[in-house]
Amino acid sequence: MAEVTLINHSGTQTTLDVPPGTSIMRAAIANGVRGIYAECGGDTMCATCHVYVEPEFSELFPPVNEDEDEMLEATACDRLPTSRLSCRLTIPEGCGAVVVRLPESQR
Amino acid sequence: MSARVVIVGAGHAGISTALELREAGFTGPVVVLDQAGHDPYERPPLSKAWLAGAVSTGELAFRAREVYARRRIELRTGVRVDAIDRGSREVVTADGTRLPYDHLVLATGARPRALPVPGAGLAGVHRLHTLTDALALRAALDTARALAIVGGGFIGLEVAAAARKRGVPTTVVEAAPRLMRRVVSEPVSAFYHRLHEDAGCVVRTEAVVAELTGEDGHVTGVRLAGGATVPADMVVAGIGVTPETGLAGAAGLATGDGVLVDEALRTSDPAVFAVGDCARFPLGDAMERLESVQNAADQGRAVAAAVTGDARPYRDVPWFWTDQHGCKLQIAGIATGADEWAVVGSVQERRFTVLCWRRGALVAGESVNRPADHLALRRLIAAKASISPAAARADGFTLKDHARALAG
Ligand SMILES: Cc1cc2nc3c(=O)[nH]c(=O)nc-3n(C[C@H](O)[C@H](O)[C@H](O)COP(=O)(O)OP(=O)(O)OC[C@H]3O[C@@H](n4cnc5c(N)ncnc54)[C@H](O)[C@@H]3O)c2cc1C
Ligand code: FES
């Protein structure tokens, strides 16, 4: 289990226990975390699962691929160097904790 | 005392309505009733990632059970609503329980159409609408030797793709001259036709089913109107759905291929709304019924706004998607009656967008593996942006630049 902390735009934190193999998007949706919509259900098609990964955790995940890169250009809030689509962020085996911030809006 | 909302149906539309009511600050009781025995789940993966084995059954749930409780949404599964008593504002469930409402939301969805031919009741004939259907279909695919799919729409073609991936010999039988005719332009039909054939699927268009043949009660083939028979030990019918309007009709609400609603999604009784697959609503200058997750979710939000006193016309741009052989198609807008189109991008590289115009207005766009185009299109269509076919065909044209200019 990884401790995934999501910090929303106004600073409210939610911490979830997420098993390896689950995406941060899926965990957030299942637990009713506000601020992630995931309109396409995790298919890299909607960009409504945008998050900012705190820099010290960025190495946990594979780099941005071509599809994700294109989608990140189409997010509702600004793209930053830490921007990711949370449906692409699968918790790896042995991961202890991750902290991500949520953008102000998703669409 | 705060008003009480009762929602019939815990599919995409019903659950969206319930969750959005809380987002909108509604504090009264919210009760969701569904005849199905399981927790609410996602339908789209049933014909895609779940069927291909990439997503587990557990991952189909909309939300963990506790989330409904935390939001004070009373979810009662395994409860069928049998009648609406509009006089006393109560719904009556199958066991005779009466449940009062101030606002009632019908989110009853649709049911798959049965094949209207002899043999449709044979063993080995499947449909795909519920998780139960999907479990039976997936198990049957494990042993199928020859699969025939009746209907070349989204669901039939998604099943065809999953079946080919497992190596099952597959034939798609479609009555229309081209695939997905109801929902996509010719270039996109042609593209997917080729994609399926390249994957080893036999595609027969303009092929009308006359009968399903059988032996010892089990299907053996699909006989076509011309006399030819497609041999099959498994048949999947994906020929569309019929809206569930029974409750509404029996209660005297206006219906007609759907529960008729106004632009705030109210039925002919202002205390009753209808949303999702079952609702027929004004869109542009016509009445439409849409079968999509986007429409179900956005209509749920619109009803929540209306109940909390913020009613506004439902005008969200419709969008749809499908995933076949790894080629993701996203459609924004409605291409009905389109009279001109232009292709942006490269069909050969499997990354392109078809823009569709009707009487000079950009009405829809179909993007294959170009999700950013799709998102730009949704904004452009919502803003009624004017892009001419000539401009779209010019060198260096990008939808993103136009969408940016709009946000400008
Ligand atoms: C296999 C499959 C794949 C799909 N793929 C996509 C896709 O990729 N993209 C997309 O946008 N859309 C897709 N769709 C369509 C999408 O799932 C529907 O548009 C959406 O589910 C509609 O939501 P709804 O709430 O209106 O109806 P439903 O989800 O059908 O829910 C209606 C609910 O009402 C309940 N109900 C009905 N009558 C009663 C009653 N009298 N009492 C109690 N309960 C009742 C039913 O049990 C059901 O649970 C797909 C559908 C299927 C079946
Ligand atoms: S859920 Fe749609 S892009 Fe991540």
Side-chain angles (χ1 to χ4, degrees), chain B residues 110-273:
Chain B
R111 62 169 176 276
R113 239 177 251 140
L115 276 173
V117 297
L122 289 163
V125 180
H126 293 258
R127 57 178 207 178
L128 179 50
H129 190 66
T130 63
L131 181 56
T132 311
D133 297 338
L135 286 163
L137 187 147
R138 194 167 71 170
L141 270 183
D142 284 341
T143 54
R145 274 165 292 136
L147 167 65
I149 293 172
V150 182
F154 285 167
I155 293 202
L157 293 174
E158 287 169 4
V159 172
R164 282 306 302 145
K165 206 168 172 197
R166 290 163 167 236
V168 179
T170 302
T171 304
V172 172
V173 175
E174 166 60 54
R178 59 185 179 88
L179 298 177
M180 303 185 280
R181 182 179 62 164
R182 225 163 39 90
V183 284
V184 303
S185 66
E186 270 172 48
V188 172
S189 278
F191 174 81
Y192 278 92
H193 192 130
R194 229 172 308 125
L195 201 61
H196 282 277
E197 286 184 340
D198 288 350
C201 181
V202 178
V203 180
R204 303 188 64 151
T205 50
E206 293 186 83
V208 177
V209 176
E211 180 195 8
L212 301 188
T213 57
E215 225 176 86
D216 302 331
H218 198 283
V219 73
T220 54
V222 176
R223 197 173 60 76
L224 303 177
T229 297
V230 177
D233 63 346
M234 176 176 177
V235 171
V236 176
I239 56 166
V241 297
T242 311
E244 285 288 0
T245 57
L247 274 180
L253 298 169
T255 61
D257 188 34
V259 184
L260 303 183
V261 294
D262 65 14
E263 57 177 14
L265 307 172
R266 283 198 161 89
T267 64
S268 49
D269 175 343
V272 185
F273 295 86

Side-chain angles (χ1 to χ4, degrees), chain A residues 2-74:
Chain A
E3 267 194 6
V4 175
T5 303
L6 300 109
I7 307 174
N8 78 10
H9 194 69
S10 51
T12 309
Q13 297 196 5
T14 312
T15 299
L16 307 172
D17 283 328
V18 182
T22 304
S23 74
I24 293 182
M25 176 285 275
R26 179 77 48 207
I29 290 289
N31 288 284
V33 173
R34 292 175 163 100
I36 296 218
Y37 286 105
E39 277 182 345
C40 75
D43 269 341
T44 336
M45 292 201 292
C46 70
T48 63
C49 65
H50 179 204
V51 297
Y52 304 113
V53 178
E54 289 288 278
E56 67 253 53
F57 304 103
S58 63
E59 302 283 294
L60 285 170
F61 306 105
V64 172
N65 67 14
E66 194 188 344
D67 277 355
E68 186 179 349
D69 185 56
E70 196 183 318
M71 292 311 294
L72 286 170
E73 286 297 314

Side-chain angles (χ1 to χ4, degrees), chain B residues 7 28 32 70 72 103 147 173 225 235 245 272 279 285 291 295 351 364 377 383 397:
Chain B
I7 300 168
V32 189
R70 229 190 293 143
R72 291 187 305 113
H103 306 278
L147 167 65
V173 175
V235 171
T245 57
V272 185
D285 41 20
E291 294 151 19
N295 180 62
R351 289 171 80 83
L377 266 166
F397 171 86

Side-chain angles (χ1 to χ4, degrees), chain A residues 21 26 29-34 37 39-40 43-47 66-67 70-71 73-76 107, chain B residues 23 59 62-64 67 70-71 301 319 321 323 328 330 351 370-372 374-375 378-379 400 404:
Chain A
R26 179 77 48 207
I29 290 289
N31 288 284
V33 173
R34 292 175 163 100
Y37 286 105
E39 277 182 345
C40 75
D43 269 341
T44 336
M45 292 201 292
C46 70
E66 194 188 344
D67 277 355
E70 196 183 318
M71 292 311 294
E73 286 297 314
T75 54
R107 57 178 169 217
Chain B
E23 292 293 320
E59 285 176 281
F62 283 142
R63 299 285 183 281
V67 174
R70 229 190 293 143
R71 302 271 164 89
R301 189 172 318 115
W319 74 272
W321 84 93
D323 191 336
K328 292 174 188 166
Q330 291 170 280
R351 289 171 80 83
R370 299 255 288 200
H374 170 73
L375 293 184
R378 277 159 63 181
R379 290 187 196 135
K400 203 165 75 186
R404 277 236 178 88

